[in-house]
């Protein structure tokens, strides 16, 4: 995002959308993929005692991480795709309507 953008404008909203699309979504998607890849621990795993004490907690935490990451991705995709596009259009319309037009006599 351009650090000199200090005011809300349709262009600033567009920059936020691009930042979400180009920077945030790929990182969240990669984090979710890492969680998915690490759900299972290969042989010998945690061992008999470790499976009972650590394995269940580990799987539960990773399930929570995956679920929370998927929720965050869904929210960010909605912001980038629908919500901020709507805000950008409305802000542009508001700017266009606020301009005073002078009629020549």
């Amino acid at each position: 995002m351009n650090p000199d953008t200090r005011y809300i404008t349709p262009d600033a909203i567009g920059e936020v959308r691009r930042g979400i699309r180009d920077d945030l979504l790929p990182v969240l998607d990669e984090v979710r993929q890492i969680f998915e890849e690490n759900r299972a621990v290969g042989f010998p795993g945690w061992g008999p005692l470790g499976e009972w004490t650590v394995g269940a907690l580990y799987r539960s935490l990773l399930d929570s991480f995956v679920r929370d990451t998927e929720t965050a991705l869904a929210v960010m995709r909605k912001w980038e795709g629908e919500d901020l596009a709507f805000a950008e259009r409305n802000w542009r319309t508001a700017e266009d309507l606020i301009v005073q037009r002078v009629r020549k006599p």
Side-chain angles (χ1 to χ4, degrees), residues 16-75:
V16 171
R17 288 181 69 209
R18 282 186 293 282
I20 290 172
R21 181 186 59 234
D22 297 342
D23 299 330
L24 187 58
L25 285 175
V27 169
L28 282 175
D29 199 35
E30 190 172 325
V31 167
R32 185 190 54 78
Q33 186 64 33
I34 290 169
F35 289 149
E36 283 285 345
E37 291 170 356
N38 289 290
R39 267 189 167 163
V41 176
F43 182 79
W46 301 103
L49 183 59
E51 182 59 36
W52 182 71
T53 58
V54 177
L57 176 61
Y58 178 81
R59 279 190 305 282
S60 174
L61 284 172
L62 274 178
D63 288 345
S64 294
F65 293 159
V66 169
R67 186 177 52 252
D68 292 347
T69 306
E70 287 172 349
T71 301
L73 276 165
V75 168

